[in-house]
Amino acid sequence: ERRAERRLAELPAVRFARDPKDEIFLSAAVAYAVDYLVTGDRDFEEAASLVAPTHIVSVVRMAEILGVT
């Protein structure tokens, strides 16, 4: 439990005023340099510039990218 708290504290700070609850996901995307952040939350569309080059996509779009539609 403490190790997880320490890891969270080590994530880069990404501020997202529209929905501060989403900051943890954006920070993790930046920290781990993920290619895609898959979400159904439309708030994330406004966060694209905060996590570039990570692509924020819907579940449907990710299925299309993976060719499973």
Side-chain angles (χ1 to χ4, degrees):
E1 193 172 346
R2 290 189 189 274
R3 190 165 68 187
E5 289 174 12
R6 193 172 31 230
R7 285 204 168 166
L8 288 175
E10 294 170 0
L11 290 176
V14 175
R15 299 291 171 232
F16 187 47
R18 179 173 173 85
D19 193 346
K21 295 184 319 286
D22 293 336
E23 291 174 355
I24 188 71
F25 303 107
L26 299 168
S27 294
V30 169
Y32 295 101
V34 300
D35 293 323
Y36 295 95
L37 177 60
V38 182
T39 181
D41 186 339
R42 302 206 50 106
D43 284 344
F44 282 96
E45 291 175 1
E46 291 185 20
S49 64
L50 300 174
V51 296
T54 296
H55 302 281
I56 299 175
V57 298
S58 68
V59 173
V60 171
R61 179 66 185 127
M62 191 72 231
E64 292 169 352
I65 291 167
L66 296 173
V68 293
T69 57

